[in-house]
Structure formats: C-alpha cells, structure tokens
Amino acid sequence: MAFAFRIDRASGVPSYVQIVQQVQQALRLGQLEPGDRLPTARAVVEATALNPNTVLKAYRELESQGLVETRRRHGTFITGTLGASAGDSPWRAELADVAARARTAGLEREDLSALFTAVLEDLYLSKHSSKEPDVVPHQQS
C-alpha cells in the first residue's frame, strides 16, 4: 500500500506536525505496520510542495518517538507501534453509526469533530481527577 500525506495549509497546524500525526493515526488504525516504508522525503516534497527540511523534521520527530528508522540509501521504515489496532475494532462500527446519525441530523464534520474532542477531553481529564466520570448508558434513538 502506498502511503500519501495530505497537508492542510489552512488548518493552522504546522506541516511537519500534520505528517507526524498522520503517521501516528495510520499506526493506530493498522494502516502502517512495522517494516512498512514511508515515502521518501523527495517524494513527499514533490507531492506536497513542502520544503524538504519540513519533511525531514517530521521524519526526525517520528524517529525520536521510536516509530521509524531511517536507513541511509534505503529509506525510512516503520519500527514502532501505537496502541492496539483500532482499524478493525468493534468500536469503529459503533462510532461510524454515531457519525452517520450526527450527519443526518445536520452536524458538519467540524461540529462532530469538536464535539467528540470535547467529550474525550472531559472523559480523559476526569480520569486523572479523584472523581470517577459518570457513566451514562447508551440509549437507542
């Protein structure tokens, strides 16, 4: 599988961070696995019109996180993993159902993303507090 980066220049997120985040997400979803080769820096530069130093900075960051290894004249290879593979998780289908219902209800992608991020922040921030988060049973609509 050829892995390609998508750079959103309007997002406000630095391009090298977008590259790092996309590799991390692909690892979490099982789209990249140890042994897979990332596109060469040159190929990324040609496809995205980024500065070569930006791509190299991203690859160095991934290397410092223990996720990739750059082998001179051979390329950059995935060497680490992140969490369990969520790509085939039963949670994916449930989240897809929730997203579809939200879209049908008129929520835009950005609205749903902001809402989900807020829920995650509430859940994981409260996890570190002394009070346990309230558990609300799933309700069918």
Side-chain angles (χ1 to χ4, degrees), residues 10-47:
S11 72
V13 177
S15 298
Y16 86 94
V17 173
Q18 291 182 50
I19 291 172
V20 170
Q21 290 173 340
Q22 288 174 38
V23 169
Q24 291 169 336
Q25 181 176 5
L27 285 167
R28 284 188 176 97
L29 295 175
Q31 296 168 341
L32 287 174
E33 298 175 347
D36 289 345
R37 183 178 174 188
L38 289 180
T40 64
R42 177 179 284 173
V44 176
V45 167
E46 289 173 1

Side-chain angles (χ1 to χ4, degrees), residues 91-109 111-113 115-116 138 141:
W91 290 104
R92 183 179 178 101
E94 191 164 343
L95 288 170
D97 179 56
V98 169
R101 288 186 289 138
R103 183 178 184 185
T104 300
L107 269 73
E108 297 292 329
R109 177 186 176 139
D111 300 331
L112 185 57
S113 178
L115 182 59
F116 191 66
H138 176 70
S141 49

